[in-house]
């Protein structure tokens, strides 16, 4: 709560994740940039977006598309410059949207001046800013930790010239910082101050549970050895560090915030990173993102979230897709593929599911994050072998956003150049211009759903209670004061009767498959249909 008793903005906001390389290109080099984002801010305001999370645009050799930072306090020329960023923030604020940027505290680029200095000699000023260890007597790495993208590779690289291994939970080009060193803490705090002083509203903190490590660096236990260490690292000292970061962020006026990527597969563990309201403001929770499209699995995820977060007064987040995983329409599609089924039927069903999922995302209790392109119902692009770029195999979900029906879908490139990745399938129909012109599209469903959420406090800040109505249907009530709204999500491919007398004829506020917002509830949910009814 803020001093005047209102909920903080980040509890009620609808966030939209921008992956800058793939959002919009202003200069025709085939890579999106800050000016491209700026040119489309009004389109996001039209959709009803309250806050942007912009993935990294800092100086970087791009070994991990910007999650390998070589200068935390500058914009990579590929994306623009600091003046362009300042303009972007000013424009977004003028449109009533907040701007949250990505902060990468666990590791730098191997081209960061700190790491270059660290490599220059074991006695260099920055040597202990990173995690160095001697080889085992047989020359092997110091422990059995595995790096993130190639499970056959250790999380260590041997540095011949100085005869030690350095730690990297991700690529060798992403050496881990040693947060046990006060100078590292101070330097990284300074990077936060740099952007807070420029007016950002907050940060998405990359693998933030990695900034505390057991200084003994013990082997991962045999039962989990082989799982990337970044999905296992969960150390008490991190909480102390997050409290200091929270104090810094909260010392700025205007309700600045931090949402942490805590890549642990236990919601219980993720919840601890909210502390006692003195660590992360919000934390991503990934089990729902990995859940299949099944009502009982979703119910279990929601119950786990409620039981882990509520006792702490922690506020949930909901994410269906991001730049690290296949898009949910692709995932649910895959799960739904039927032998011998024609493509049109599969497409129809996956579209229906993507629509129902949008209603689910935007009606749960917590802060929703939309990944760019989900509002168009995009699926992953097919990436031919010779265009694969990402060491983690994540190119498909990072395909450029199609803006219109022209041959290049708004990605005008000069002769001999092309968008950095192929565009998604269906771009000639699933693009912003075509969908905006057609009230029946999923884009308009997102817009209507976001507007409804904004207009009905029960949906943004109301209580949450499950109803047991029918197998395969997730049913819940959100209430605020006297206003009660019921959400029904049919995960089944068949119509389902809803036996709840009080809902018969209740006012339908929104249906995932139609444009009408009037009429009474018939008592039957269509296949893969979600509805929001009053009562
Ligand atoms: C999580 C980010 O979301 C991902 O894209 C990146 O590769 C790793 N952290 C390493 O920074």
């Amino acid at each position: 709560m803020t001093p005047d008793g209102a909920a903080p903005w980040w509890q009620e906001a609808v966030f939209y994740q921008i992956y800058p390389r793939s959002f919009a290109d202003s200069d025709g080099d085939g890579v999106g940039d800050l000016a491209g984002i700026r040119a489309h801010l009004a389109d996001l305001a039209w959709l009803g977006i309250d806050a942007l999370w912009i993935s990294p645009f800092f100086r970087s050799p791009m070994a991990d598309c910007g999650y390998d930072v070589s200068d935390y306090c500058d914009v990579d020329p590929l994306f623009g410059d600091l003046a362009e960023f300042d303009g972007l923030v000013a424009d977004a604020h003028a449109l009533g949207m907040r701007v949250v940027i990505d902060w990468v505290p666990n590791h730098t680029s191997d081209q960061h001046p700190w790491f270059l200095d660290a490599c220059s000699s074991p006695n260099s000023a920055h040597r202990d800013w990173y995690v160095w260890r001697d080889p085992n007597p047989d020359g092997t790495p110091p422990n059995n930790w595995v790096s993130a993208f190639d499970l056959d590779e250790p999380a260590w690289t041997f540095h011949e010239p100085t005869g030690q291994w350095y730690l990297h939970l991700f690529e060798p080009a992403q050496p881990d910082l040693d947060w046990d060193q006060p100078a590292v803490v101070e330097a990284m705090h300074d990077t936060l101050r740099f952007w807070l002083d420029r007016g950002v509203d907050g940060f998405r903190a990359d693998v933030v549970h990695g900034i505390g490590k057991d200084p003994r660096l013990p082997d991962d236990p045999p039962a989990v050895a082989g799982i990337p260490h970044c999905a296992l690292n969960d150390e008490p000292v991190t909480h102390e560090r997050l409290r200091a970061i929270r104090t810094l962020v909260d010392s700025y006026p205007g309700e600045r915030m931090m949402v942490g990527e805590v890549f642990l597969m236990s919601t219980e563990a993720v919840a601890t990173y909210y502390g006692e309201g003195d660590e992360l403001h919000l934390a991503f929770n990934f089990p729902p993102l990995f859940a299949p499209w099944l009502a009982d699995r979703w119910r279990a995820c929601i119950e786990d979230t409620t039981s882990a977060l509520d006792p702490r007064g922690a506020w949930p987040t909901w994410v269906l897709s991001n730049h690290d995983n296949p898009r949910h329409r692709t995932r649910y599609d895959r799960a739904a593929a039927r032998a011998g089924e024609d493509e049109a039927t599969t497409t129809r069903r996956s579209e229906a599911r993507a629509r129902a999922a949008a209603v689910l995302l935007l009606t749960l209790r917590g802060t929703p994050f939309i990944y760019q392109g989900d509002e168009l119902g995009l699926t992953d692009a097919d990436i031919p072998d010779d265009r694969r770029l990402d060491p983690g195999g994540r190119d498909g979900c990072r395909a450029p956003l199609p803006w219109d029906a022209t041959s290049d879908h708004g990605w005008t490139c000069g002769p001999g150049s092309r968008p950095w990745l192929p565009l998604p399938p269906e771009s000639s129909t699933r693009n912003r211009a075509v969908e905006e012109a057609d009230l029946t599209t999923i884009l308009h469903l997102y817009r209507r759903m976001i507007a409804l959420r904004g207009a009905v406090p029960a949906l943004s800040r109301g209580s949450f209670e499950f109803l047991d109505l029918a197998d395969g249907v997730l049913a819940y009530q959100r209430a605020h004061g006297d206003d009660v709204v019921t959400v029904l999500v049919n995960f089944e491919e068949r119509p389902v009767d809803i036996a709840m007398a009080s809902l018969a004829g209740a006012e339908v506020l929104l249906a995932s498959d139609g444009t009408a917002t009037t009429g009474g509830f018939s008592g039957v949910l269509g296949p893969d249909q979600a509805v929001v009814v009053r009562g």
Side-chain angles (χ1 to χ4, degrees):
M1 287 287 173
T2 56
D4 62 2
W9 68 267
W10 40 267
Q11 290 189 353
E12 295 195 354
V14 173
F15 277 75
Y16 183 93
Q17 181 193 352
I18 292 182
Y19 195 67
R21 298 180 80 88
S22 299
F23 186 71
D25 179 16
S26 74
D27 58 8
D29 66 354
V31 179
D33 46 44
L34 296 183
I37 299 174
R38 222 175 146 185
H40 286 286
L41 288 175
D43 292 324
L44 299 176
W46 174 92
L47 187 58
I49 298 303
D50 302 298
L52 312 176
W53 149 30
I54 309 179
S55 284
F57 49 80
F58 316 104
R59 274 193 192 264
S60 165
M62 305 289 167
D64 185 11
C65 284
Y67 283 96
D68 49 318
V69 181
S70 56
D71 184 346
Y72 287 93
C73 300
D74 202 2
V75 173
D76 195 280
L78 189 63
F79 297 123
D81 55 24
L82 283 168
E84 191 66 54
F85 179 76
D86 291 342
L88 190 165
V89 172
D91 290 356
H93 284 171
L95 287 164
M97 290 186 290
R98 312 265 184 165
V99 179
V100 166
I101 63 170
D102 224 307
W103 183 56
V104 188
N106 177 69
H107 46 266
T108 68
S109 158
D110 63 349
Q111 299 305 305
H112 195 293
W114 300 338
F115 190 69
L116 294 177
D117 181 55
C119 287
S120 68
S121 141
N123 304 317
S124 69
H126 295 92
R127 181 72 172 185
D128 61 5
W129 284 38
Y130 295 86
V131 185
W132 296 91
R133 290 291 186 277
D134 290 333
N136 289 328
D138 64 356
T140 55
N143 68 19
N144 69 352
W145 293 3
V146 169
S147 72
F149 303 133
D150 187 343
L151 305 188
D152 294 329
E153 289 299 324
W156 296 91
T157 289
F158 189 64
H159 186 246
E160 276 307 333
T162 56
Q164 285 192 306
W165 296 84
Y166 68 86
L167 177 68
H168 51 84
L169 298 190
F170 293 87
E171 288 287 281
Q174 295 166 291
D176 277 39
L177 284 164
D178 185 349
W179 276 72
D180 292 344
Q181 304 303 321
V184 168
V185 175
E186 215 22 64
M188 290 308 288
H189 282 194
D190 279 347
T191 66
L192 290 173
R193 290 190 190 97
F194 178 85
W195 293 103
L196 289 164
D197 288 339
R198 289 198 106 82
V200 302
D201 297 288
F203 302 93
R204 176 267 190 185
D206 189 63
V207 286
V208 75
H209 60 299
I211 65 172
K213 302 201 176 70
D214 182 336
R216 298 169 300 134
L217 302 178
D219 276 348
D220 284 329
V224 291
I227 294 177
H229 187 74
C230 66
L232 303 170
N233 195 79
D234 186 15
E235 289 298 318
V237 68
T238 304
H239 299 282
E240 202 178 289
R241 291 176 185 162
L242 285 176
R243 284 193 288 276
I245 289 168
R246 174 71 178 249
T247 302
L248 188 164
V249 172
D250 282 355
S251 72
Y252 278 75
E255 293 186 277
R256 316 294 176 102
M257 58 84 68
M258 184 172 278
V259 51
E261 183 201 27
V262 180
F263 195 75
L264 297 171
M265 288 311 125
S266 142
T267 301
E268 196 68 50
V270 169
T272 65
Y273 286 79
Y274 288 81
E276 303 300 321
D278 55 358
E279 298 184 29
L280 295 170
H281 298 77
L282 294 173
F284 289 127
N285 180 36
F286 292 114
L289 188 147
F290 295 118
W293 185 245
L294 291 171
D296 54 351
R297 294 290 291 278
W298 265 88
R299 180 163 179 156
C301 284
I302 297 166
E303 283 172 346
D304 285 353
T305 304
T306 307
S307 62
L309 268 61
D310 278 9
R312 297 176 170 271
W315 187 252
T317 62
W318 301 101
V319 182
L320 296 174
S321 292
N322 62 24
H323 64 293
D324 288 333
N325 297 284
R327 286 182 182 275
H328 61 275
R329 185 166 159 238
T330 298
R331 295 196 314 271
Y332 298 158
D333 221 0
R334 226 179 253 157
R338 301 278 184 285
E341 183 175 82
D342 65 275
E343 209 181 312
T345 309
T346 311
T347 303
R348 224 178 4 258
R349 187 181 48 244
S350 76
E351 160 90 13
R353 287 186 176 182
R355 285 167 174 259
V359 174
L360 176 70
L361 176 74
L362 291 158
T363 56
L364 290 172
R365 182 174 169 276
T367 302
F369 286 75
I370 297 169
Y371 176 48
Q372 68 177 41
D374 282 349
E375 76 281 13
L376 302 175
L378 297 184
T379 51
D380 286 2
D382 293 323
I383 312 289
D385 286 348
D386 63 346
R387 294 199 64 185
R388 290 186 190 282
L389 296 170
D390 176 45
R394 300 162 292 184
D395 296 313
C397 64
R398 299 175 174 181
L401 203 69
W403 285 100
D404 57 37
T406 59
S407 58
D408 54 21
H409 304 296
W411 288 77
T412 317
C413 293
S417 114
R418 59 183 181 183
W420 76 288
L421 283 175
L423 274 93
E426 308 175 88
S427 287
S428 51
T429 49
R430 263 178 215 282
N431 60 64
R432 175 66 193 226
V434 165
E435 293 202 34
E436 196 175 318
D438 178 355
L439 280 172
T440 67
T441 56
I442 190 169
L443 176 67
H444 278 274
L445 170 69
Y446 267 92
R447 185 175 190 235
R448 277 197 305 278
M449 188 59 245
I450 293 170
L452 183 65
R453 189 187 152 89
V456 177
L459 288 173
S460 55
R461 65 183 101 112
S463 59
F464 181 98
E465 206 178 321
F466 277 118
L467 303 172
D468 290 306
L469 296 184
D471 284 350
V473 171
L474 205 61
Y476 45 91
Q477 261 177 348
R478 309 283 321 267
H480 184 259
D482 292 340
D483 194 22
V484 179
V485 172
T486 302
V487 181
L488 305 166
V489 184
N490 184 6
F491 284 68
E492 302 288 322
E493 287 170 46
R494 51 179 176 81
V496 177
D497 276 326
I498 298 298
M500 185 164 170
S502 61
L503 290 184
E507 181 195 1
V508 176
L509 299 174
L510 179 137
S512 59
D513 58 344
T515 54
T517 53
T518 53
F521 180 52
S522 68
V524 178
L525 282 177
D528 289 304
Q529 189 199 31
V531 298
V532 184
V533 296
R534 179 147 267 145

